[in-house]
Amino acid sequence: PAEPRRAVLPGRSRARSRGAAGAALLPSMLMFGVILASSGLLLMIERGILAQVGPPPLHPPSGLSRRDGRDSPAELELEVLRDTRNRTIRALCGQRSMPRSVWELPPGQRRTVLRHLLVSDKYRFLYCYVPKVACSNWKRILKVLDGALESVDVQGKMDHKSDLVFLGDMKPEEISYRLKHYYKFIFVRNPMERLLSAYRNKFGEIKEYQQKYGVEIVRRYRKNGGNSVGDDVSFSEFLQYLLDEDVERMNEHWMPIYNLCQPCAVRYDFIGSYERLHADANHVLEHIQSPSFVRFPERQAWYKPVTAETLHYYLCNTQRRLIKELLPKYILDFSLFAYPLPNITSEFCRQ
């Protein structure tokens, strides 16, 4: 059989240099890839036994020793995280049924990913933007690099279309060349945290979303909800809407990252994390050799991030049945990017 494709990430070369020790990221490291390669994960979800199962532990397993004794615990955790993502992506994308290029995708899926790949010809990179994963700030950076914006700190409403180059607007041969030769990266986030962020922002602050989606959601799932203006959608009603929605037709703010960026069809060189946003962003900026004055913007003072406590509050006040039924739609985001499944056990929620 053909060699499974690899998602090449920083830290990989160092892991290889460890030889047998690097190869010994043993059963716990491979758990997600092995389960993902079978149908067992969804079956386990249906049986309700994965509520407390997280990703492999982010510490070096026995047999993975420090090469020079100077690696910090944080560096080792990061290396294990990246190795876990490599292995799960390789396990999934190595299957014969999975696409190996954007040209093997159905037309609708191909349009989606090409519409989310932003191009910098000057710095030779492709960035797959994921809404609710700091994509506005990355778009600011692209505009600054292209000279369309003076500084990342310029105030004003973000225009998500103008002065940006989308891969989908190019000719097939131009698309293929850039996919083959340009540096490609994405940033990911805990799926449930991303959904909660989208819910609070779009239905709590944006009238356009309240009118376009909120009114319909309330009308569909609430008795006598015909008088709502869409600003009172409950989190449970939002999740029920996602459960009933076709993934391919979802709004980009809650479409799974896998469907937006197709990590099997596009071989990304780097997967950054929302949890390490500035450190990973600085790594990308250094790699593309951006000017020294270009930096990742600081978080705006008005921004209210989703905390672990906030997420736990919402999840523990939502029917467990609803969350369990929704998980299969986002399970590739959880497993490929090594995020823990939500803990919604009675014991945990009582705390």
Side-chain angles (χ1 to χ4, degrees), residues 16-257:
R16 283 176 178 166
S17 70
R18 298 177 192 267
L25 290 178
L26 293 172
S28 63
M29 298 289 93
L30 292 171
M31 173 172 49
F32 274 87
V34 172
I35 296 177
L36 186 63
S38 69
S39 60
L41 188 52
L42 298 183
L43 180 60
M44 292 171 71
I45 290 172
E46 290 181 3
R47 292 179 177 175
I49 61 176
L50 274 183
Q52 300 185 65
V53 175
L58 297 185
H59 55 74
S62 58
L64 180 59
S65 60
R66 300 183 182 186
R67 182 174 54 184
D68 54 13
R70 292 179 295 182
D71 289 347
S72 69
E75 289 173 334
L76 289 171
E77 288 181 2
L78 179 59
E79 182 175 340
V80 172
L81 172 64
R82 287 173 174 164
D83 191 90
T84 301
R85 288 175 175 169
N86 277 339
R87 290 169 183 266
T88 52
I89 290 174
R90 188 165 69 246
L92 175 76
C93 299
Q95 314 240 347
R96 292 184 179 181
S97 60
M98 302 306 295
R100 284 164 169 73
S101 78
V102 296
W103 309 115
E104 294 182 16
L105 293 170
Q109 294 180 16
R110 182 166 61 248
R111 282 193 299 271
T112 295
V113 65
L114 294 180
R115 191 169 63 235
H116 284 83
L117 281 165
L118 295 172
V119 182
S120 173
D121 283 327
K122 184 177 181 180
Y123 291 90
R124 295 176 66 85
F125 70 79
L126 301 177
Y127 159 59
C128 186
Y129 79 87
V130 178
K132 308 313 299 178
V133 191
C135 73
S136 294
N137 282 337
W138 272 113
K139 289 176 180 178
R140 289 181 184 273
I141 288 177
L142 263 76
K143 292 187 178 189
V144 172
L145 292 175
D146 196 46
L149 198 64
E150 181 179 348
S151 166
V152 296
D153 297 320
V154 172
Q155 299 297 316
K157 185 177 180 180
M158 179 66 187
D159 188 327
H160 291 269
K161 297 296 181 183
S162 66
D163 300 316
L164 294 170
V165 180
F166 296 84
L167 192 62
D169 293 334
M170 296 183 171
K171 298 177 181 179
E173 60 271 17
E174 296 173 331
I175 293 173
S176 294
Y177 176 85
R178 286 161 178 78
L179 285 170
K180 181 177 181 181
H181 296 286
Y182 282 18
Y183 180 73
K184 299 172 287 294
F185 67 94
I186 60 174
F187 273 72
V188 299
R189 186 179 186 179
N190 180 298
M192 294 306 298
E193 183 181 303
R194 176 173 170 250
L195 289 181
L196 179 55
S197 177
Y199 163 76
R200 295 206 307 174
N201 173 238
K202 299 309 175 186
F203 299 107
E205 303 171 6
I206 312 298
K207 178 170 284 189
E208 176 187 352
Y209 278 78
Q210 294 169 358
Q211 294 175 343
K212 183 175 181 178
Y213 296 97
V215 171
E216 170 61 21
I217 290 174
V218 172
R219 185 196 64 79
R220 188 187 301 183
Y221 300 112
R222 190 186 307 171
K223 291 183 179 180
N224 303 319
N227 295 325
S228 172
V229 295
D231 61 349
D232 59 343
V233 177
S234 71
F235 189 57
S236 293
E237 289 169 337
F238 175 58
L239 294 189
Q240 184 63 57
Y241 167 73
L242 297 181
L243 182 60
D244 295 338
E245 186 77 351
D246 181 357
V247 169
E248 298 298 332
R249 300 178 63 184
M250 282 184 175
N251 180 278
E252 63 177 8
H253 289 84
W254 42 80
M255 181 181 284
I257 298 174

Side-chain angles (χ1 to χ4, degrees), residues 7-11 78 82 85 126 138 183-188 267-273 276-277 279-284 287:
V8 182
L9 303 180
L78 179 59
R82 287 173 174 164
R85 288 175 175 169
L126 301 177
W138 272 113
Y183 180 73
K184 299 172 287 294
F185 67 94
I186 60 174
F187 273 72
V188 299
R267 186 181 300 182
Y268 291 98
D269 300 289
F270 183 75
I271 300 177
S273 298
R276 285 179 41 90
L277 184 56
D280 285 352
N282 288 336
H283 171 87
V284 171
H287 183 90

